Amino acid sequence: MGTVNSADEELWVRSLAGDGAAFSVLFRRHRDRVHRHAYRISIGHHTAEDITATAFLELWRLREKVRLVDGSILPWLLVTTVNVARNNSRALRRNQKLLASLPRSEDAPDVMDEFFAGSPQEALDRELSEALLSLNLIDRQLVSLVVFEDYTIASAANLLAITPSAAKTRMHRARQRMKLSVEHSYVPAMEGNQP
């Protein structure tokens, strides 16, 4: 699962007591993993930066409701990152729908096509992000925790309040749906980390 131990717990208690330096340590300790997680489930570095910032803002805003898991704040941050990304994706779709309804010239290029016209890695990132976003919330959280954050299926199931057998079934189905969503033959292996 990760190497963070009860040090998070101590820092969190100090943060709740108003110790800004303790919260800063938690931020520095987890920002890179949260950012990588946000990048994998969103489109682009700028969006991932916004999602990361929002996840930490939510950590503070909802501080009275935050639940540490095995002494770590990271699982809460990762789940919140998925929720923020989902909300961001919804807002983006609404904006795209609005923009599509506006009159435009036939010659106008599609902004998203231009954005992803770069390297093959950007195209792959886009396809993987879209494949993840095609999953329902619980499946997306499960895949993110198991595949990208190296949690066991049993640990991820516990975090998501589902049974390990339901988690195994969901992982299998999510893998199949993602395979169908990705145009390239590359799909990250999801078979590892069995409980």
Side-chain angles (χ1 to χ4, degrees):
M1 224 188 317
T3 58
V4 177
N5 56 25
S6 63
D8 269 7
E9 208 163 356
E10 177 187 333
L11 288 167
W12 186 240
V13 169
R14 288 175 39 206
S15 296
L16 291 175
D19 185 344
F23 190 83
S24 180
V25 170
L26 284 171
F27 173 76
R28 285 192 310 274
R29 178 179 289 173
H30 298 300
R31 72 174 172 223
D32 292 340
R33 283 197 62 192
V34 170
H35 183 269
R36 284 191 307 269
H37 189 59
Y39 180 74
R40 285 190 298 264
I41 60 176
S42 66
I43 298 176
H45 289 288
H46 296 295
T47 303
E49 288 171 7
D50 290 344
I51 291 169
T52 301
T54 304
F56 279 97
L57 285 171
E58 288 295 290
L59 174 64
W60 186 249
R61 188 178 73 81
L62 299 171
R63 62 190 173 274
E64 299 301 324
K65 299 177 182 177
V66 171
R67 182 179 69 124
L68 276 66
V69 177
D70 295 330
S72 176
I73 200 84
L74 185 61
W76 190 94
L77 281 167
L78 296 175
V79 170
T80 300
T81 299
V82 172
N83 292 335
V84 170
R86 185 190 72 229
N87 293 339
N88 186 65
S89 178
R90 272 195 230 138
L92 180 63
R93 281 194 304 272
R94 281 193 305 270
N95 289 339
Q96 287 174 337
K97 187 176 177 180
L98 172 65
L99 290 174
S101 71
L102 297 174
R104 67 180 193 186
S105 164
E106 293 299 318
D107 299 344
D110 185 343
V111 176
M112 292 306 284
D113 288 342
E114 285 182 11
F115 181 76
F116 288 107
S119 72
Q121 182 62 44
E122 287 175 348
L124 180 60
D125 288 347
R126 178 183 184 181
E127 288 179 5
L128 289 173
S129 292
E130 288 173 356
L132 275 171
L133 291 172
S134 73
L135 301 175
N136 67 42
L137 177 61
I138 292 176
D139 290 349
R140 190 172 22 210
Q141 290 173 334
L142 180 64
V143 168
S144 295
L145 290 170
V146 172
V147 175
F148 301 118
E149 295 303 326
D150 205 27
Y151 282 78
T152 64
I153 288 179
S155 296
N158 184 40
L159 284 172
L160 298 172
I162 59 176
T163 66
S165 61
K168 286 180 187 178
T169 301
R170 283 179 171 274
M171 282 295 293
H172 176 74
R173 290 180 182 161
R175 183 171 191 252
Q176 298 306 314
R177 282 192 299 267
M178 287 183 68
K179 273 185 179 179
L180 293 174
S181 295
V182 176
E183 293 175 4
H184 294 294
S185 61
Y186 174 77
V187 173
M190 296 187 195
E191 301 299 329
N193 290 333
Q194 298 299 318

